[in-house]
Amino acid sequence: MSGEDTPAPQQSEDQVQKGQPAGEPEAEPPQEPQGEASNEAATEAATEAATAATTEAEESQPASTAANDKAPEEEAFTYRALVLTGYGGYDKVKLQLKKGRPNPRSGEVTVRVKACGVNFPDLLARQGLYDRLPSPPVTPGMECSGFIEAVGEDVTDRKVGDRVMVLERCGLWQEVVLVKADHTFLMPEGMTYEEGAAFPVSYITAYVLLFEMANIRPNKSVLIHMAAGGVGIAATQLCQTVSDVTVFGTASANKHEVIKQGGVMHPIDYRTRDYVEEIRKISPQGLDVVLDPLGGSDTQKAFNLLKPMGTLVVYGAANRLSGQRKNLLALAKSWYSQFTISALSLMHSNKAVCGFHLGYLDNEFALISGVLQKLLHLYQQGKIKPRIDSTYHFEQVSDAMRRMQDRNNIGKVILLTEPKKEEPKSKEDSKDQKEEGQNDIKKEEPKEGVETEQPKTGES
Amino acid sequence: MSGEDTPAPQQSEDQVQKGQPAGEPEAEPPQEPQGEASNEAATEAATEAATAATTEAEESQPASTAANDKAPEEEAFTYRALVLTGYGGYDKVKLQLKKGRPNPRSGEVTVRVKACGVNFPDLLARQGLYDRLPSPPVTPGMECSGFIEAVGEDVTDRKVGDRVMVLERCGLWQEVVLVKADHTFLMPEGMTYEEGAAFPVSYITAYVLLFEMANIRPNKSVLIHMAAGGVGIAATQLCQTVSDVTVFGTASANKHEVIKQGGVMHPIDYRTRDYVEEIRKISPQGLDVVLDPLGGSDTQKAFNLLKPMGTLVVYGAANRLSGQRKNLLALAKSWYSQFTISALSLMHSNKAVCGFHLGYLDNEFALISGVLQKLLHLYQQGKIKPRIDSTYHFEQVSDAMRRMQDRNNIGKVILLTEPKKEEPKSKEDSKDQKEEGQNDIKKEEPKEGVETEQPKTGES
Ligand SMILES: NC(=O)c1ccc[n+]([C@@H]2O[C@H](COP(=O)([O-])OP(=O)(O)OC[C@H]3O[C@@H](n4cnc5c(N)ncnc54)[C@H](OP(=O)(O)O)[C@@H]3O)[C@@H](O)[C@H]2O)c1
Ligand SMILES: NC(=O)c1ccc[n+]([C@@H]2O[C@H](COP(=O)([O-])OP(=O)(O)OC[C@H]3O[C@@H](n4cnc5c(N)ncnc54)[C@H](OP(=O)(O)O)[C@@H]3O)[C@@H](O)[C@H]2O)c1
């Protein structure tokens, strides 16, 4: 993408900077993309990748339907987008250029995207295991942050320059998105774009699981699997807003120190121990709430772990993710061991089973919006705060996905739309990269251990 | 039972009368049973019935294990008990005399029972369809009220004369019961014995369904089946303690006026209309909460009626009750149409399914006790109040069961332990009764329309 094609943002610097913390990398003026027009390597890669299926990709974008009948100047408008080109390994997500300025229609806004969240379902989607993503070619991405670049007719509560988070079923991993105004949420002062991109999916999910479905209250015990992940850390923080909730959490061993600091009273290394046994040792009578993002045989284990009057909330099937490609055997196995329950068994055990899937709540934006408002209130009180594990530029999307899939992240993995600045290369560096055939830009170090600030806790 | 055998209550009149409203029929001094020794017909019937299986019956009573090594004088002690002698029609429940004074052991108390609640599960139990009742011969009855007649060692929080409600898995339909002290609950001042006998099962059930399982909150909509029954009326009253809850209720048409006054905004006659259609007409998008006491195909209907994020609570299988006897075809049908659900379906629909069965919460008395304390608080605030449909003496137990089974009750059906006083009979009356081979005592008129007092409502 060349700088000349970048649209001149339609608002003053003032509007954008208002509400931004000084010194944040996100506080760049809207013109900023123009300043990076010299990133040739990135442009090259993007342009190359974009040769194939841009039009088809556009057609399948619910969030960025290209407007028809564009003026030639608008046709010439291009923007970078990540596109899933087929199911399989990391290389299936490609950086491409899309053409044509998306113009907001009534009720819509255009958002200039600064950062995007990577969620576990994006990994599943890449393998064809996520049923809420249209068929490839398609742009993934359920959450992002940025600023409003244009508003359609009848949009009264958003204006050009507003800093917003966006939540969509998919299509947000691109520089410019066209979305319904009510799928955007104003970012509070002090929230960075990285935080904004890390916020909606994890916190909405965690909140609904705990407060809408499980009805968590003082003195309850809860098991959080994947406790060091995006949803896991959000859930742990939200548990701290209720007095005397005992949190059990499973995570890879090297993450225990961090999640313990965050409020997991009993971290369990599920990779070397039988977590059911470990929990029974501590709480022989079982638990009040189990949140289950794993599926398969772990759902039955979760159900068995419940005390009478306990609640199981199923919200994922991470066990399906078993490698680089759609693994039919693993699928068949997890189908076979899929959890079903009769009304009679529920009565005899006095238990509750709930299911949650944000991707199927498309029509419930009023509800989602209500939950987000409560969450932003908690954020502003300092009670919750996204933990950013690492940030990657669009060019590095493979590394971003690999970081999660290799179970290395503690907190959220974030994608930045901004092209990675070329660093002066030594001859060897450049040779290595060509051999690997990987990224043309050096991966940004994950900020492990950098984000030490913990949110304040207290009762709500 | 003759008056001479009645034990002299071990407390002063003062103790019993303390806390009783003046003028209540229940405010009789403990000596009162002696005053009714002349009820010969009742005695005759009871003695006759008692010939057979008293000892066996005693052996299977969890709530009245006869103490061994009794002194001869204690052996001579008898008390009237209803006993289920086999599965089937109304006649399977017989009035018998049990022998031997039950002496409380450590942690136990003896309660002189004044009134007992009849619950729908008692009807199922008679037909062999309730799995929490031991095999016949056995005394049914899950709730009663009365006063403490003796306390065992280590009982510090109950004393002779205390007016209490009792909750047990079964065994309470008799004049004297031996129970764990912590299965008794002190009755608040002003609560009659009839109310006390009508309180625990219905209100605990309704409370748990609405507040522990469904997490009912302002602006929610809820469907209450059997809305004019014991649990139904309790649930309706509890819904009034939350602002702006819309109650849909199914009941036979003649009960609509009463339940409407009680807070059911949309009463539906399920016997002449398709209730699903009726509800969809009023609330096309469905409901937030459905309480399902019916089972069979109604459970699936309930699930389908839920909005996204809605909750179904299954707590009964009234559809199984299909006549006088265990109906194998009906059973098979309801088994066939038994509701099962997969975790995946729950996720895709964003719904919750819970099961509640008080009979399986034997080990959770702390929880139950906590719920009852909250309910007594609401009672004392005038926010909830049991509606007594009708009272019957032990001799009339068939009529009591028939009243519910014929779908005639509005509120609770209560059994009184006190023998029915003989009324002067005309020759014809007595002839009629002999021909019917039924009750030897005229049935007390159900108090339809008498109990007009409605509880105050308000927000909690
Ligand atoms: N229902 C919904 O609407 C909804 C919305 C968002 C997320 N979710 C679900 O919530 C869960 C967490 O999502 P997230 O986005 O916050 O991701 P995440 O927890 O950050 O995911 C990465 C972590 O998952 C753990 N993990 C467990 N099983 C794994 C596997 N088979 N392969 C790779 N990693 C595995 C690893 O950590 P450890 O080894 O330390 O455990 C890994 O670091 C997922 O199941 C996701 O599908 C559901
Ligand atoms: N899970 C638990 O722990 C628990 C505890 C207590 C009760 N329950 C359940 O809650 C429900 C209500 O119990 P309840 O004790 O309060 O009884 P109830 O509602 O007073 O029961 C009698 C009424 O049920 C209605 N009904 C519906 N189907 C019926 C059928 N097949 N046969 C006869 N009557 C029928 C009739 O009224 P309409 O025709 O007006 O509807 C009848 O008047 C029952 O399903 C019971 O098993 C469950």
Side-chain angles (χ1 to χ4, degrees), chain B residues 101-152:
Chain B
R101 185 194 299 278
N103 284 327
R105 287 162 302 193
S106 174
E108 293 180 337
V109 295
T110 310
V111 176
R112 170 65 55 171
V113 179
K114 302 292 289 180
C116 309
V118 181
N119 290 290
F120 201 91
D122 297 317
L123 307 181
L124 293 169
R126 203 195 63 232
Q127 298 191 344
L129 298 172
Y130 184 71
D131 51 1
R132 296 308 273 171
L133 192 75
S135 310
V138 62
T139 291
M142 312 165 187
E143 63 188 347
C144 70
S145 61
F147 56 85
I148 305 259
E149 210 168 56
V151 299

Side-chain angles (χ1 to χ4, degrees), chain A residues 128-361:
Chain A
L129 298 172
Y130 185 70
D131 52 2
R132 298 308 273 170
L133 190 76
S135 309
V138 62
T139 291
M142 314 167 185
E143 63 188 346
C144 70
S145 61
F147 56 86
I148 305 259
E149 208 168 55
V151 298
E153 265 176 57
D154 303 326
V155 175
T156 54
D157 53 354
R158 294 287 178 274
K159 61 183 189 312
V160 169
D162 280 347
R163 295 177 351 116
V164 292
M165 297 175 275
V166 187
L167 185 66
E168 274 294 342
R169 213 211 283 177
C170 63
L172 300 184
W173 284 1
Q174 52 189 25
E175 278 182 318
V176 180
V177 297
L178 189 67
V179 294
K180 287 192 187 153
D182 59 7
H183 287 207
T184 66
F185 306 94
L186 292 175
M187 282 167 60
E189 231 173 286
M191 182 182 262
T192 66
Y193 281 125
E194 293 181 12
E195 284 179 350
F199 198 81
V201 172
S202 293
Y203 282 90
I204 290 172
T205 301
Y207 187 95
V208 173
L209 301 180
L210 290 169
F211 297 109
E212 296 285 326
M213 301 205 126
N215 188 11
I216 197 107
R217 282 162 298 168
N219 301 310
K220 299 281 177 190
S221 54
V222 55
L223 170 60
I224 301 174
H225 284 294
M226 304 167 85
V231 177
I233 286 180
T236 305
Q237 289 178 1
L238 286 169
C239 282
Q240 314 304 308
T241 68
V242 180
S243 62
D244 300 318
V245 170
T246 307
V247 179
F248 294 71
T250 68
S252 296
N254 62 316
K255 308 175 183 176
H256 286 198
E257 204 42 50
V258 174
I259 61 173
K260 209 162 180 174
Q261 272 171 30
V264 176
M265 185 177 284
H266 304 292
I268 299 167
D269 178 13
Y270 70 105
R271 294 169 79 174
T272 60
R273 310 223 161 215
D274 179 332
Y275 67 84
V276 172
E277 263 178 34
E278 297 297 308
I279 291 166
R280 288 278 179 203
K281 270 188 223 162
I282 300 163
S283 183
Q285 74 282 26
L287 303 173
D288 295 304
V289 175
V290 181
L291 309 183
D292 172 34
L294 300 172
S297 59
D298 286 296
T299 310
Q300 185 67 55
K301 286 184 191 172
F303 187 79
N304 295 346
L305 266 175
L306 294 178
K307 285 183 198 173
M309 304 296 296
T311 302
L312 164 62
V313 194
V314 181
Y315 67 107
N319 284 335
R320 285 196 186 174
L321 189 77
S322 47
Q324 293 286 76
R325 317 197 128 266
K326 190 164 175 163
N327 179 329
L328 286 178
L329 189 71
L331 252 188
K333 237 174 99 181
S334 90
W335 171 257
Y336 179 76
S337 58
Q338 207 205 51
F339 182 79
T340 42
I341 184 109
S342 71
L344 207 68
S345 312
L346 286 170
M347 274 177 69
H348 287 184
S349 54
N350 281 296
K351 293 180 181 179
V353 182
C354 321
F356 176 69
H357 196 313
L358 198 52
Y360 283 86
L361 278 178

Side-chain angles (χ1 to χ4, degrees), chain B residues 448-460:
Chain B
E448 266 184 58
V450 169
E451 184 99 1
T452 49
E453 191 185 346
Q454 288 294 325
K456 286 174 239 153
T457 61
E459 277 178 54
S460 72

Side-chain angles (χ1 to χ4, degrees), chain B residues 59-102:
Chain B
E59 273 168 13
S60 60
Q61 301 306 323
S64 68
T65 318
N68 300 323
D69 310 323
K70 285 184 195 302
E73 155 227 2
E74 299 201 325
E75 268 301 345
F77 177 88
T78 61
Y79 53 99
R80 307 194 320 152
L82 292 171
V83 177
L84 180 67
T85 56
Y87 300 130
Y90 299 116
D91 59 341
K92 295 296 179 190
V93 181
K94 299 203 193 299
L95 184 58
Q96 301 188 342
L97 272 192
K98 287 190 184 176
K99 278 196 277 188
R101 185 194 299 278

